[in-house]
Amino acid sequence: MTAAIHGRIRGPRVWLVFLGPAVIASVAYMDPGNYATNIQAGAGYGYALLWVVLLANLIAMLFQALSAKLGIVTGKNLAELSREHLPRPLVIAMWAVSEVAAMATDLAEFLGGAIGLSLLLGIPLLWGMAITAVVTYLILSFEAFGFRPMEIIIGALVGVIGICYLAEVLIAPIRWDEAIWGLTTPKLPDIGALTIAVGIIGATVMPHAIYLHSGLTQHRARVRNDEERRAVLRFSNVEVIVALSVAGMINMAMVMMAASAFHQGHAEVAEIETAYHTLTPLLGAASAGVFLVSLIASGVSSSVVGTMAGQMIMQGFLRISVPLWLRRAVTMVPAFAVVLAGANATQALVMSQVVLSIALPVPMLALLWLTARREVMGDFTSTLWVRVGAGAGAALVLCLNFVLLAQTFGLPIPFLDA
């Protein structure tokens, strides 16, 4: 990496040296929770909510870039810095909320992969969960060989998701003129569209991804001075833009596929299982199969990343490390409990997003506060424009999350009720 920083490596090889952290973090932006909201958006409103996907992606880029910057500049991750700079009672509360969020995240991701396997192989959902658990643990075991093997595996799974949705876009008869209009014309047709828009944004900016990215960059490149830090930051920012642009395009492809297949005649489609069964007669078995393969890749990769983030959160806040197999087992408990209780799996995915909405302010506000403090960042303190942009993005996300929570719990929302 030192050779790349100082320009002794040129061409595509330079980017391969630094490629990895943003790719891993980007998995959070195309997990099974996104599948549920994107299917609802496309089926119910066609291409009209594509601009919401774009907006959510731009906000995500800014926060992931800030998280990566925090790790590169300080050599510490967000959880560690929170422990050092915040009062102990607040740190304990942050850790507790973050642990609940990690379990909610894993519930959505683990269930998503299991649903895909269950439908693809025609096996009970519990068997799908067992297979997902084994595959996830096998992938996590590669972490013992360093960061590069894990990055390659996760990158390959992201590639599978991307190829699947490229195929879906080619199979489905997309109305490209309507898609461009929906991408560039912000509007909400009705209150239901607002609810789905809130779900899209709430499922995009993820608490564990904000924690994780700072940890993935903190020890990746050994920098000796500010000049080298600036060079690493330039590479990091480009990687964030590229990786999250790919994630954004995949999310847009999900919405466009659902709009093409379901909006005319099947606007009520809102569940993953229903989408699969409806796709077969509409676009053929190949399209339905590709959809499930992408869902499995999404569930497995995001479950792996969620476990990595949970481990990092515990180490950072409490300085406690537990074996990965134990961490994996504990975070799987809620998913098995939901299925054994006979609850609707897709509804459980939706409720997990509500839990994430409650937890999201914790890492988001901590990141904004830390990156704006000179005693933490030195000469790399966020500029005024970055603080304003990040503050506006945080305010928007948190307000929309409040709307989601209020609707979930039946609380009155004055401007909506009017």
Side-chain angles (χ1 to χ4, degrees):
M1 285 195 182
T2 302
I5 292 172
H6 292 285
R8 294 196 295 271
I9 299 176
R10 297 184 181 276
R13 289 178 60 201
V14 175
W15 301 107
L16 290 175
V17 170
F18 290 94
L19 189 67
V23 173
I24 290 180
S26 72
V27 170
Y29 299 97
M30 42 189 152
D31 71 0
N34 292 89
Y35 276 62
T37 55
N38 290 333
I39 288 171
Q40 290 177 2
Y45 296 95
Y47 305 95
L49 299 183
L50 280 171
W51 68 271
V52 180
V53 179
L54 176 61
L55 175 63
N57 212 62
L58 292 175
I59 295 172
M61 282 183 187
L62 179 55
F63 277 92
Q64 292 306 140
L66 284 175
S67 179
K69 179 181 180 179
L70 186 71
I72 292 167
V73 171
T74 66
K76 298 177 181 179
N77 62 53
L78 177 57
E80 291 171 337
L81 289 167
S82 298
R83 185 191 68 229
E84 291 179 8
H85 292 275
L86 294 171
R88 183 172 176 78
L90 180 57
V91 169
I92 297 298
M94 289 176 66
W95 168 74
V97 170
S98 300
E99 285 289 352
V100 172
M103 288 191 178
T105 300
D106 198 65
L107 171 64
E109 295 159 349
F110 189 56
L111 274 179
I115 290 169
L117 279 169
S118 173
L119 293 171
L120 185 65
L121 302 179
I123 58 177
L125 183 58
L126 281 174
W127 280 103
M129 295 173 69
I131 295 171
T132 303
V134 171
V135 172
T136 301
Y137 180 74
L138 289 175
I139 295 175
L140 284 167
S141 67
F142 280 89
E143 195 175 37
F145 301 100
F147 63 82
R148 185 58 78 183
M150 184 68 75
E151 289 173 354
I152 292 172
I153 294 171
I154 297 298
L157 290 170
V158 171
V160 169
I161 300 169
I163 291 171
C164 286
Y165 268 93
L166 176 61
E168 292 284 18
V169 169
L170 294 175
I171 293 171
I174 305 296
R175 295 290 301 272
W176 290 103
D177 56 336
E178 294 183 19
I180 293 172
W181 181 261
L183 191 63
T184 57
T185 309
K187 65 174 183 177
L188 293 170
D190 55 32
I191 296 299
L194 175 61
T195 303
I196 295 176
V198 171
I200 291 173
I201 295 178
T204 298
V205 184
M206 304 289 279
H208 71 290
I210 296 176
Y211 281 115
L212 180 64
H213 208 154
S214 61
L216 294 173
T217 58
Q218 68 180 118
H219 300 308
R220 186 176 178 82
R222 293 186 178 181
V223 290
R224 296 167 293 185
N225 52 55
D226 285 353
E227 181 183 354
E228 292 184 355
R229 285 189 181 88
R230 288 189 178 91
V232 174
L233 280 172
R234 285 194 294 271
F235 286 113
S236 175
N237 288 336
V238 172
E239 192 211 0
V240 167
I241 292 171
V242 172
L244 291 192
S245 293
V246 171
M249 287 187 286
I250 289 172
N251 278 301
M252 292 175 195
M254 290 183 199
V255 175
M256 289 191 291
M257 183 275 290
S260 174
F262 306 135
H263 184 52
Q264 298 296 330
H266 299 277
E268 76 286 350
V269 171
E271 296 185 354
I272 290 173
E273 297 94 327
T274 308
Y276 165 69
H277 291 302
T278 309
L279 270 177
T280 303
L282 289 177
L283 299 180
S287 176
V290 166
F291 171 74
L292 290 184
V293 170
S294 71
L295 178 62
I296 294 166
S298 167
V300 170
S301 59
S302 55
S303 192
V304 169
V305 170
T307 303
M308 293 169 60
Q311 183 84 322
M312 190 172 296
I313 289 168
M314 178 176 284
Q315 289 175 341
F317 278 122
L318 303 183
R319 294 180 178 171
I320 295 174
S321 179
V322 298
L324 271 178
W325 67 265
L326 179 59
R327 178 90 208 177
R328 173 74 271 182
V330 170
T331 54
M332 286 190 305
V333 169
F336 276 97
V338 165
V339 173
L340 290 173
N344 180 281
T346 301
Q347 185 60 34
L349 292 180
V350 173
M351 289 306 298
S352 73
Q353 303 307 305
V354 175
V355 175
L356 293 178
S357 297
I358 297 172
L360 183 57
V362 173
M364 181 175 277
L365 297 178
L367 180 63
L368 288 177
W369 184 73
L370 288 167
T371 53
R373 294 180 67 84
R374 180 163 290 275
E375 59 266 39
V376 176
M377 302 295 288
D379 291 338
F380 294 88
T381 303
S382 297
T383 64
L384 175 62
W385 288 111
V386 170
R387 292 200 297 270
V388 169
L396 175 63
V397 171
L398 297 179
C399 286
L400 290 176
N401 280 341
F402 170 76
V403 173
L404 175 63
L405 294 173
Q407 290 181 329
T408 300
F409 296 108
L411 301 176
I413 308 172
F415 73 91
L416 287 183
D417 294 340

